[in-house]
Amino acid sequence: MKILKTQTLRGPNYWSIRRHKLIVMRLDLEDLADKSSNEIPGFYEGLVKVLPTIEEHFCSLGRRGGFLERVQQGTYMGHIIEHVALELQELAGMPVGFGRTRETSTPGVYNVVFEYVDEQAGRYAGRAAVRLCRSIVDTGTYPKAEFEQDIADLKDLRANASLGPSTETIVKEAEARKIPWMMLSARAMVQFGYGIHQKRIQATLSSYSGILAVELACDKEGTKTILQDAGIPVPCGTVIQYLDELEDAIEDVGGYPIVIKPLDGNHGRGITINIKNWQEAEAAYDLASAEAKSRSVIVERFYQGSDHRILVINGKLIAVAERIPAHVVGDGRSTIEELIEQTNRDPNRGEGHDNVLTKITIDRTSISVLERQGYTLKTVLRQGEIAYLRDTANLSTGGIAIDRTDDIHPENIWIAERVVKLIGLDIAGIDVVTPDITKPLREVGGVIVEVNAAPGFRMHVAPSRGLPRNVAAPVLDMLFPKGTPVRIPIIALTGTNGKTTTTRLTAHIYRQTGKVVGYTTTDGIYINDYLVQKGDNTGPQSASVILKDPTVEVAVLETARGGILRSGLAFESCDIGVVLNVAADHLGIGDIDTIEQMAKVKSVVAETVSPDGYAVLNADDPLVAAMAERVKSKIAYFSMNPDNPIIQNHIRRGGMAAVYENGYLSILEGEWTLRIEEVVNVPVTMGGMAPFMIANALAACLAAFANGVDIEAIRQGIRTFSPSANQTPGRMNLFKLSSFHALVDYAHNPAGYEAVGGFVRNWSGEKLGVVGGPGDRRDEDLILLGKLSAQIFDCIIVKEDDDTRGRERGEVADLIVKGMLQEKPDARYQTILDETEAIETGLDRVENGGLVVIFPESVSRAISLIKKRQNHSDS
Ligand code: ATP
Ligand code: ATP
Ligand code: MG
Ligand code: MG
């Protein structure tokens, strides 16, 4: 077996609209291609032994053990690998269920598709599944050590890739609210919402966290001063820079016990509390000053009580947790070292921040904390006796948290909310030391030790004891208060031909509404009239450039087959999904071999429209019209023929449509006809002479109308959008030269040739074609281009692209000529492989009043050749 290619899908896709995270592994079964699992001796038994939990897979039989029955009766290896890849992920703690396996048109080569939670782990699971099955085939088993390593590696990949625990809770809440999110490429920032409505977070900092507030919170001394001035109880303390100031400082704060900590520390690093004598104080000073970036050290009175964290979001107290430092409880038998080991065996304890709790570590700090309590690691504690391993209660050093949200005294709530306002933070964690949180701080001598920006959520979401609190909800309530928009309208367009033209036209219509329009096309990414990036930008990466742009108010996205197949769509739903047409092009590429399969690819766009949006479908194209059955949204049809039965039927039921009637582009809604404009006033239709452009214009108008754009804006848009070489290079660019015309068009498939032919046939003079075709198309497609050329033109020059896309030079031209002669044995033609030479010859040779139609590889080169002659004839 050999893995030929692995693709990672991240959005709605060919295999599933709903399951976005899929691995597609193109697998050559080689020697196992013709072997069913029941024909491989010992395979079933081996698989059950290595992976007994696969019993849970129902598979098509719909019952427990269903998949294993299929293995026993005989199924093909691709299908087994799909199930094994799923099961491996499952065993590594990543719940997945969806899978599909289909043979490609190459015998023995399969596409194995399965769900993932983490991309890297998903790809790993695919490779491991192949390895595991190969081993069972060859040896009847898979070594236990290998298997365990695979699961451990999968767990690692998952742990390394996952978001931090606080970020993850916010992202989960966003998903529950159907708020789209995406990772930005720097600083682990997450974007919620699209375009102009986006908001960001980074851990628990948000778009609203002000720099003044964050910096103030990071300055413990400054924070205390501000709070003290406002009458808030804070520890009595002072800041020193040198050891020889320490003695006076201790006196200033009222003598022992004291606390020494770095001025600008966090996570409890460098802090010593409850210092009772000079020797401890000196050591604590060294520890703190080494941790402090500023070398400055805080000396504070030590306050009795336990540590509490109060979380305040958007001015409101959300949760309170009491934190207890890392500790172990004696059992009368075990040493402290053994107790630590036992405590760390709790599956809830992980490394660093990646689990609910953190493992307790044995280090210099813990040993010295033990010493101060009179213990060593070898001490055996009595039943119930507690030994602390840390002074401070941070979860990240092994502490635990108990929810106390319902216990806090109302006066303390008032103080907490006031404190956060004084600092100016949107999301803040207040550290309070008090013997009793249920009593007012003032009454029991509690103090506010500090205020944290970017507080961790872990202790509130998953407290060791008490009620878990949904603290992510108020964050999203703050970022997106009820009734505020999260998304921008997304208009996605696909089809075999006319995508770029229709995308540009649609964007131009939206421009008339005064909104900032971001759009992607084969030529580049644009925002309003400006180019963001040149080149073929019709995939999900380009779409997300627009969706991430904070200025964009409307996204119009050309969505091509390549990107859909490669990684799926960039958005989980859109407002308008336009499918222009499905014609034979690109067949045989990416395992899409039939036009029906291609229709399924394009249908992804229509099926991704949200239920209250519209799929805009071409009623004249049966493959497109048939997509109506699969969409979840409302439907609007367009047609060149108002009598098209689909249109008639649809409007009879009150539906919406756009048609070409009596020379007008019109919207039909129920019984009413709303005329937008006469085609003679729509430059893109070349005065109505280019029928396919009328179809594109109908689609653009309908898309905008269905999305609520004013009819006036639509009219204004189609009147002012012209097919000039500047606005839409390569799309029906007509040039007038001294005694003839030249047309440059990008048509490169049979449907495109026919479309242009529809215009050319309306031409009265000689029709000369300069034709070619892309080398990566099938022979029969190129032959068909030849046939069509013979039908359309009086005289033909056959040329080739500079890039032959893998074919021998001359091969494409031969195939085109072959088709041409099949259609018209006496066709007038000449083969000139070089494109420039071919164009020049065509322009030289055409008769007066004639039309030279050029289908170039390089549109800009063709246009500049023509312009050179225009300049000549001008002078
Ligand atoms: P974190 O990052 O967890 O907020 P930190 O490094 O910023 O910690 P502080 O919050 O200043 O440090 O102190 C850590 C803990 O030490 C406090 O939560 C509190 O339990 C204890 N502590 C600090 N100062 C005092 C004090 N003056 N009296 C009693 N306990 C104190
Ligand atoms: P690509 O797949 O190269 O991105 P596209 O779908 O974006 O193509 P356009 O660039 O808009 O299509 O148009 C390319 C050519 O396709 C046009 O110049 C024209 O020849 C032809 N074409 C445009 N619209 C249609 C249509 N509705 N039906 C058939 N052919 C069309
Ligand atoms: Mg703190
Ligand atoms: Mg295009």
Side-chain angles (χ1 to χ4, degrees):
M1 283 184 289
K2 193 159 79 202
I3 300 171
L4 302 176
K5 188 158 92 181
T6 306
Q7 281 177 311
T8 309
L9 309 183
R10 304 182 184 91
N13 60 74
Y14 181 73
W15 303 94
S16 173
I17 301 299
R18 210 159 51 85
R19 319 272 181 164
H20 300 170
K21 297 163 88 174
L22 300 178
I23 302 289
V24 182
M25 197 163 70
R26 197 167 193 268
L27 186 66
D28 187 346
L29 294 184
E30 296 182 319
D31 53 315
L32 293 173
D34 306 317
K35 272 219 180 94
S36 183
S37 54
N38 58 334
E39 296 164 359
I40 306 169
F43 185 85
Y44 170 81
E45 293 75 13
L47 183 66
V48 174
K49 204 140 152 238
V50 171
L51 214 55
T53 46
I54 208 155
E55 162 109 52
E56 296 302 325
H57 291 218
F58 285 31
C59 196
S60 49
L61 297 181
R63 57 171 178 268
R64 196 162 172 274
F67 170 68
L68 279 179
E69 276 178 50
R70 300 243 352 233
V71 176
Q72 201 165 24
Q73 285 155 10
T75 184
Y76 51 99
M77 197 49 72
H79 179 213
I80 298 173
I81 286 174
E82 167 205 322
H83 279 270
V84 172
L86 289 170
E87 186 57 23
L88 289 174
Q89 295 182 78
E90 192 82 41
L91 288 172
M94 292 172 278
V96 284
F98 179 88
R100 285 273 177 287
T101 299
R102 295 284 177 270
E103 188 165 18
T104 67
S105 59
T106 316
V109 174
Y110 287 77
N111 275 313
V112 179
V113 181
F114 54 89
E115 216 179 345
Y116 65 84
V117 169
D118 169 69
E119 318 191 345
Q120 283 199 48
R123 289 188 291 260
Y124 184 109
R127 293 191 298 272
V130 171
R131 220 180 312 133
L132 184 148
C133 289
R134 178 83 254 177
S135 167
I136 297 179
V137 170
D138 293 344
T139 69
T141 186
Y142 186 59
K144 199 168 161 52
E146 294 259 351
F147 180 76
E148 279 166 3
Q149 188 62 51
D150 283 339
I151 300 297
D153 285 353
L154 282 167
K155 283 185 176 165
D156 273 358
L157 287 170
R158 155 91 171 134
N160 294 340
S162 57
L163 303 165
S166 302
T167 312
E168 191 166 299
T169 52
I170 303 175
V171 163
K172 279 221 179 96
E173 177 68 19
E175 283 177 348
R177 295 178 181 209
K178 304 247 182 303
I179 295 175
W181 67 277
M182 36 189 149
M183 245 7 246
L184 298 184
S185 40
R187 305 187 63 95
M189 273 194 291
V190 177
Q191 171 182 331
F192 295 108
Y194 290 139
I196 193 164
H197 300 309
Q198 68 180 274
K199 295 283 153 52
R200 290 174 182 171
I201 61 160
Q202 180 190 323
T204 61
L205 291 171
S206 88
S207 298
Y208 296 132
S209 305
I211 183 80
L212 287 187
V214 173
E215 299 231 302
L216 177 56
C218 291
D219 167 8
K220 287 187 187 189
E221 196 53 24
T223 298
K224 263 168 62 181
T225 312
I226 295 275
L227 295 184
Q228 190 159 31
D229 287 354
I232 309 276
V234 294
C236 159
T238 177
V239 178
I240 60 169
Q241 275 206 300
Y242 304 101
L243 182 61
D244 55 15
E245 298 168 292
L246 185 56
E247 234 182 306
D248 290 346
I250 293 171
E251 203 162 305
D252 283 352
V253 302
Y256 301 108
I258 58 158
V259 170
I260 296 185
K261 54 184 164 183
L263 179 61
D264 45 16
N266 58 28
H267 299 312
R269 277 189 288 262
I271 301 188
T272 312
I273 65 172
N274 201 4
I275 299 166
K276 298 201 186 85
N277 54 51
W278 176 250
Q279 195 195 347
E280 280 174 19
E282 256 187 322
Y285 175 87
D286 289 341
L287 190 68
S289 98
E291 270 300 330
K293 276 176 252 144
S294 56
R295 296 276 133 194
S296 301
V297 160
I298 295 180
V299 179
E300 265 174 17
R301 184 183 299 165
F302 173 71
Y303 290 80
Q304 290 295 341
S306 57
D307 192 37
H308 295 81
R309 172 57 71 81
I310 302 177
L311 180 67
V312 177
I313 297 172
N314 199 21
K316 282 261 159 295
L317 183 139
I318 301 300
V320 180
E322 181 176 347
R323 300 189 292 173
I324 299 172
H327 64 274
V328 290
V329 186
D331 59 5
R333 280 176 284 117
S334 317
T335 64
I336 290 180
E337 194 167 14
E338 286 162 353
L339 291 170
I340 293 175
E341 216 183 281
Q342 284 168 27
T343 309
N344 283 346
R345 250 180 256 145
D346 179 349
N348 283 327
R349 289 198 187 252
E351 306 293 338
H353 283 280
D354 52 56
N355 213 330
V356 180
L357 294 171
T358 303
K359 288 198 159 84
I360 300 173
T361 45
I362 299 176
D363 54 13
R364 268 181 43 216
T365 314
S366 44
I367 289 169
S368 87
V369 171
L370 284 176
E371 261 169 26
R372 295 213 328 260
Q373 300 164 82
Y375 301 133
T376 71
L377 284 172
K378 300 288 169 226
T379 309
V380 174
L381 296 178
R382 287 188 315 276
Q383 179 80 33
E385 189 181 356
I386 292 179
Y388 289 95
L389 286 311
R390 277 289 188 275
D391 281 333
T392 56
N394 308 70
L395 291 192
S396 56
T397 54
I400 64 165
I402 301 163
D403 177 70
R404 301 294 299 267
T405 311
D406 296 327
D407 306 331
I408 186 171
H409 190 274
E411 184 173 316
N412 295 343
I413 298 179
W414 170 72
I415 292 178
E417 292 177 355
R418 187 163 166 253
V419 160
V420 171
K421 277 264 155 58
L422 284 162
I423 305 301
L425 278 172
D426 58 334
I427 302 175
I430 308 173
D431 288 338
V432 177
V433 173
T434 178
D436 190 352
I437 196 74
T438 67
K439 305 233 166 69
L441 291 187
R442 206 174 297 281
E443 230 169 69
V444 293
V447 285
I448 294 200
V449 174
E450 70 154 346
V451 180
N452 293 281
F457 282 2
R458 198 159 58 133
M459 66 191 96
H460 308 295
V461 175
S464 324
R465 249 183 285 154
L467 204 60
R469 305 282 166 169
N470 179 0
V471 298
V475 173
L476 286 157
D477 288 343
M478 170 181 74
L479 295 177
F480 300 105
K482 273 211 172 49
T484 48
V486 173
R487 296 155 192 269
I488 55 173
I490 299 178
I491 294 87
L493 301 96
T494 193
T496 302
N497 289 304
K499 297 183 292 297
T500 300
T501 317
T502 312
T503 299
R504 280 176 170 277
L505 178 52
T506 308
H508 184 77
I509 290 172
Y510 272 95
R511 288 283 285 131
Q512 314 307 312
T513 66
K515 293 240 162 73
V516 176
V517 184
Y519 61 102
T520 59
T521 70
T522 334
D523 310 325
I525 303 173
Y526 298 82
I527 294 176
N528 282 354
D529 299 329
Y530 296 108
L531 177 70
V532 175
Q533 190 175 306
K534 213 174 149 54
D536 188 344
N537 286 284
T538 54
Q541 289 269 287
S542 315
S544 45
V545 170
I546 293 301
L547 298 177
K548 282 179 185 169
D549 192 280
T551 66
V552 168
E553 297 175 279
V554 181
V556 184
L557 308 171
E558 175 174 348
T559 307
R561 151 211 77 87
I564 300 177
L565 286 174
R566 210 181 324 112
S567 46
L569 300 180
F571 40 85
E572 88 295 352
S573 75
C574 58
D575 301 272
I576 304 286
V578 181
V579 186
L580 292 169
N581 43 53
V582 180
D585 192 17
H586 288 109
L587 295 181
I589 304 175
D591 289 324
I592 300 303
D593 300 304
T594 67
I595 192 161
E596 287 74 21
Q597 287 173 331
M598 186 59 85
K600 194 176 165 211
V601 176
K602 314 256 184 221
S603 164
V604 170
V605 169
E607 291 176 62
T608 300
V609 180
S610 66
D612 49 354
Y614 278 91
V616 171
L617 303 177
N618 185 348
D620 300 336
D621 186 325
L623 284 170
V624 177
M627 292 174 191
E629 285 166 30
R630 293 208 292 270
V631 305
K632 300 181 288 287
S633 62
K634 296 180 272 185
I635 296 170
Y637 290 105
F638 64 95
S639 168
M640 294 293 284
N641 170 16
D643 300 324
N644 179 319
I646 294 174
I647 299 279
Q648 285 301 323
N649 200 9
H650 187 60
I651 56 172
R652 208 173 305 125
R653 292 202 236 129
M656 184 194 294
V659 295
Y660 177 47
E661 51 88 24
N662 301 308
Y664 281 88
L665 301 178
S666 299
I667 299 281
L668 307 180
E669 237 191 330
E671 296 167 26
W672 301 100
T673 299
L674 192 61
R675 285 190 163 160
I676 306 173
E677 186 55 277
E678 207 174 352
V679 289
V680 290
N681 298 322
V682 179
V684 77
T685 68
M686 314 197 73
M689 291 220 310
F692 68 96
M693 283 296 198
I694 300 178
N696 294 343
L698 285 172
C701 293
L702 187 56
F705 185 79
N707 192 230
V709 175
D710 199 59
I711 203 86
E712 266 311 318
I714 299 177
R715 183 174 297 137
Q716 178 71 13
I718 55 172
R719 268 189 199 155
T720 54
F721 184 80
S722 76
S724 73
N726 297 332
Q727 270 198 13
T728 50
R731 281 82 183 187
M732 295 299 282
N733 305 139
L734 189 63
F735 299 87
K736 187 172 167 9
L737 288 105
S738 52
S739 60
F740 63 95
H741 283 75
L743 179 80
V744 176
D745 191 279
Y746 221 36
H748 48 263
N749 56 40
Y753 273 43
E754 289 214 66
V756 177
F759 170 78
V760 176
R761 285 195 193 94
N762 290 329
W763 194 267
S764 48
E766 189 200 26
K767 308 161 184 77
L768 187 153
V770 180
V771 308
D776 58 357
R777 303 308 202 267
R778 301 173 306 182
D779 288 4
E780 62 250 52
D781 298 328
L782 295 166
I783 291 172
L784 183 54
L785 291 182
K787 285 189 183 172
L788 291 169
S789 303
Q791 288 170 11
I792 299 167
F793 300 111
D794 305 321
C795 171
I796 299 166
I797 297 174
V798 184
K799 53 91 193 173
E800 280 194 351
D801 292 354
D802 297 352
D803 176 1
T804 60
R805 305 197 191 185
R807 288 195 189 252
E808 292 288 316
R809 170 113 355 257
E811 225 181 300
V812 168
D814 286 347
L815 288 165
I816 291 177
V817 170
K818 185 169 162 193
M820 214 167 61
L821 294 177
Q822 274 175 18
E823 180 70 23
K824 200 161 141 199
D826 60 341
R828 273 166 59 208
Y829 81 98
Q830 185 182 354
T831 301
I832 303 175
L833 295 183
D834 179 66
E835 187 167 291
T836 304
E837 202 187 324
I839 293 172
E840 296 281 19
T841 310
L843 297 173
D844 286 341
R845 194 174 302 154
V846 68
E847 293 167 7
N848 284 353
L851 174 70
V852 183
V853 177
I854 303 164
F855 297 131
E857 176 188 28
S858 163
V859 168
S860 55
R861 182 172 60 194
I863 291 176
S864 70
L865 289 172
I866 293 167
K867 287 210 162 148
K868 231 188 320 183
R869 294 192 182 220
Q870 275 184 321
N871 293 343
H872 265 277
S873 58
D874 286 350
S875 56

